[in-house]
């Protein structure tokens, strides 16, 4: 019975993800021991075939309510297939309301997911594989209660 429920959950997830025609890429990486160390800088690789379109890039963060801060600073580096720099900047994501402490994003119990638009309608001018690296840029190392980080790339609305 448990295997049947697991198979139904996986099938449902696959069906829902298949119904998202704007998504080009989405991947999340779990943090070992729910701690994000500075030297753990995940790299996300995605292929772009249509250079005439514009793309939106989101950062995904799964965190626990035990996280000590209301925000999270991330450094990103997006490189093109020829290794040229497309974008590099420091981004502040708000995980909780600074005044009320109310968690941002979707979740239940003590686990929440935030998806933040970071690069809006960006041009990706080369066909091929792009690399996006994320590094946590907080003063604490390791940074506890960050459970996973990820990237979503989608075609921008016309």
């Amino acid at each position: 019975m448990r295997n049947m429920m697991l198979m139904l959950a996986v099938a449902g997830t696959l069906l829902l993800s298949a119904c998202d025609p704007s998504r080009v890429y989405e991947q999340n990486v779990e943090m070992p021991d729910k701690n994000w160390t500075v030297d753990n800088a995940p790299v996300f690789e995605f292929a772009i075939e249509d250079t005439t379109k514009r793309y939106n890039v989101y950062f995904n963060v799964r965190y626990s309510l035990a996280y000590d801060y209301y925000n999270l600073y991330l450094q990103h580096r997006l490189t093109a297939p020829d290794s040229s720099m497309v974008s590099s900047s420091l981004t502040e994501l708000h995980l909780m309301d600074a005044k009320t402490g109310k968690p941002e994003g979707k979740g239940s119990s003590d686990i929440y997911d935030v998806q933040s638009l970071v690069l809006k309608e960006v041009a990706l001018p080369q066909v091929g594989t792009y690399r996006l690296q994320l590094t946590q840029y907080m003063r604490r190392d390791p940074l506890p209660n960050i459970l996973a980080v990820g990237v979503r790339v989608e075609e921008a609305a016309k």
Side-chain angles (χ1 to χ4, degrees):
M1 182 69 174
R2 187 173 185 199
N3 286 341
M4 173 88 87
M5 294 299 285
L6 181 61
M7 287 179 21
L8 285 173
V10 169
T13 301
L14 289 174
L15 271 174
L16 288 174
S17 64
C19 297
D20 191 355
S22 65
R23 182 179 59 205
V24 173
Y25 173 86
E26 187 164 12
Q27 182 69 43
N28 297 299
V29 174
E30 288 187 26
M31 294 295 126
D33 301 320
K34 301 177 185 175
N35 288 299
W36 192 2
T37 59
V38 171
D39 63 351
N40 179 4
V43 175
F44 303 90
E45 295 184 347
F46 56 93
I48 294 298
E49 296 176 12
D50 189 344
T51 60
T52 64
K53 294 181 179 177
R54 297 288 178 148
Y55 297 90
N56 293 328
V57 179
Y58 296 83
F59 293 166
N60 301 332
V61 178
R62 173 170 282 176
Y63 67 99
S64 165
L65 288 182
Y67 183 67
D68 290 334
Y69 309 98
Y70 72 91
N71 62 353
L72 172 64
Y73 285 99
L74 299 176
Q75 174 73 40
H76 81 269
R77 293 176 46 88
L78 176 61
T79 54
D82 68 356
S83 298
S84 63
M85 187 65 61
V86 175
S87 174
S88 178
S89 69
L90 182 64
T91 302
E92 179 185 20
L93 303 181
H94 290 268
L95 303 184
M96 297 177 205
D97 184 277
K99 292 182 181 179
T100 66
K102 179 183 175 193
E104 301 286 346
K106 297 178 183 175
S108 61
S109 184
D110 68 338
I111 306 297
Y112 280 79
D113 293 298
V114 169
Q115 187 172 77
S116 297
L117 177 61
V118 177
L119 300 172
K120 185 176 181 177
E121 296 182 9
V122 66
L124 300 174
Q126 298 175 23
V127 170
T129 302
Y130 285 76
R131 293 173 44 94
L132 194 150
Q133 182 178 39
L134 290 180
T135 306
Q136 69 99 336
Y137 217 74
M138 300 293 282
R139 292 186 176 145
R140 193 164 175 188
D141 187 28
L143 184 60
N145 298 304
I146 297 295
L147 310 179
V149 296
V151 170
R152 175 185 171 93
V153 179
E154 68 181 21
E155 293 177 9
K158 296 176 185 176

